[in-house]
Amino acid sequence: MQKEIELFRDGLKKNNLKVTRQRLRVLEAFLKTEKHVSCDELYRLIRGEHPEIGYATVYRTLKLIQEAGLAREVDFGDKVLRLEHEYGHKHHDHLICLACGKFFEVFDPDIEALQEKLAKKQNFTPVRHKMDIFGYCQKCQGKSASCV
Amino acid sequence: MQKEIELFRDGLKKNNLKVTRQRLRVLEAFLKTEKHVSCDELYRLIRGEHPEIGYATVYRTLKLIQEAGLAREVDFGDKVLRLEHEYGHKHHDHLICLACGKFFEVFDPDIEALQEKLAKKQNFTPVRHKMDIFGYCQKCQGKSASCV
DNA sequence: GTATAATTGAAAATGATTTTCAATTTCATA
DNA sequence: TATGAAATTGAAAATCATTTTCAATTATAC
Ligand SMILES: [Zn+2]
Ligand SMILES: [Zn+2]
Ligand SMILES: [Zn+2]
Ligand SMILES: [Zn+2]
């Protein structure tokens, strides 16, 4: 966490941006949660301890956190922008339960290799990818999507 | 296209919904375009020939087209809901160019098999998946994302 | 044809995201 | 440590895609 804070400060300095109390609070809150958090969720978390920090500041700081390479966007198909930790977290893909909403992080080097190959075959230079598998987790076997 | 129209009519009848002039116009417009079209884009296309058809009708009909199994949602990460043809189009994944926005439909049975295996290993029952590879197409090699 | 129930289009509502702006704060420099 | 230019802040408003409302219109079963 110390390393992340340092990277954040460096990212700010590099762009002539200021290190503020609010920005540090937002970063800390983001680093503390291991979920795939939305801006709104993070704002509500922070509000408990720091009700003086506004939504816009959380929103803007999340952009800065992304720019510093500490977070990446994930999309679970629920129309909400979510962020997950990037620093110290290797690339992975997701299994997402249609019933309970839980997700699992997975990684398969064979799939990754085939993805490279697939792109190259089309003379396409891959930069990044997103692979999300939707279905039912062990606990939700047999349930339909409606059981929340 | 005749088959698709029939399926659409069947879908409506099955749910006690009415076959209207507007719904057929929207379906035809959707079937005619082979792009991954958004509601707004389709509305603008239709407006040329049928300015009397409202946005809400296009929006609502697109839902019905999905429910009839004729369209599926695709997400290119641009925050807009897009639909592509489903009927007669096998499952595929996408290569999406970060520079020019063009996309290519791809399919790799080996990847599909490994995806199944990966999910099963976690006792997860896969239903559907999304795999999007972002990068640069042949024409845009070496360009940065800013060149549109 | 009539009755009934569904559909329509315009406009308003929604909900996440993004911007505006005047007051406040940071921080390089003196 | 004081100063002042430049960046930041929070509240509120704007934006933008999506979704709903509602009174008038239309499809369809009888
Ligand atoms: Zn991957
Ligand atoms: Zn589950
Ligand atoms: Zn696939
Ligand atoms: Zn496609």
Side-chain angles (χ1 to χ4, degrees), chain B residues 29-41:
Chain B
F30 173 70
L31 293 174
K32 250 188 264 175
T33 175
E34 268 296 336
K35 296 197 337 175
H36 294 59
V37 83
S38 71
C39 182
D40 187 65
E41 286 165 358

Side-chain angles (χ1 to χ4, degrees), chain A residues 92-118:
Chain A
H92 59 261
D93 300 296
H94 295 106
L95 307 179
I96 301 149
C97 181
L98 292 167
C100 70
K102 273 214 282 291
F103 59 87
F104 307 86
E105 306 195 334
V106 292
F107 180 78
D108 182 335
D110 295 337
I111 292 180
E112 302 287 324
L114 287 173
Q115 286 167 336
E116 279 287 314
K117 224 173 88 183
L118 177 62

Side-chain angles (χ1 to χ4, degrees), chain A residues 6-23:
Chain A
E6 199 176 315
L7 282 169
F8 185 58
R9 296 184 99 107
D10 290 351
L12 292 177
K13 290 253 175 65
K14 204 185 307 168
N15 293 294
N16 283 336
L17 301 177
K18 291 170 177 171
V19 177
T20 67
R21 184 173 46 75
Q22 290 95 328
R23 284 178 177 165

Side-chain angles (χ1 to χ4, degrees), chain B residues 47-146:
Chain B
R47 199 169 51 176
E49 288 206 48
H50 305 282
E52 77 282 3
I53 295 182
Y55 187 97
T57 299
V58 175
Y59 166 79
R60 286 181 290 224
T61 305
L62 283 176
K63 292 267 166 209
L64 297 172
I65 290 173
Q66 284 181 73
E67 281 157 24
L70 297 171
R72 79 168 74 92
E73 295 186 1
V74 288
D75 175 10
F76 284 0
D78 62 354
K79 303 263 175 71
V80 185
L81 196 64
R82 295 173 180 286
L83 296 179
E84 65 177 6
H85 294 188
E86 178 149 18
Y87 180 75
H89 289 238
K90 293 191 302 284
H91 163 74
H92 58 261
D93 300 295
H94 296 105
L95 307 179
I96 302 149
C97 181
L98 291 167
C100 69
K102 274 213 282 288
F103 59 87
F104 307 87
E105 305 194 336
V106 291
F107 180 78
D108 181 335
D110 295 336
I111 293 180
E112 302 286 324
L114 287 175
Q115 286 167 335
E116 279 288 316
K117 221 173 90 183
L118 177 62
K120 290 278 160 58
K121 209 191 307 175
Q122 313 273 333
N123 288 308
F124 191 90
T125 308
V127 173
R128 61 190 163 79
H129 68 259
K130 238 172 39 180
M131 184 176 82
D132 300 318
I133 301 177
F134 297 85
Y136 297 97
C137 73
Q138 189 160 24
K139 279 191 185 158
C140 298
Q141 301 292 340
K143 283 188 196 170
S144 82
S146 61

Side-chain angles (χ1 to χ4, degrees), chain B residues 17-18 20 22-23 52-54 57 60:
Chain B
L17 301 177
K18 292 171 178 173
T20 67
Q22 291 95 326
R23 284 177 177 167
E52 77 282 3
I53 295 182
T57 299
R60 286 181 290 224

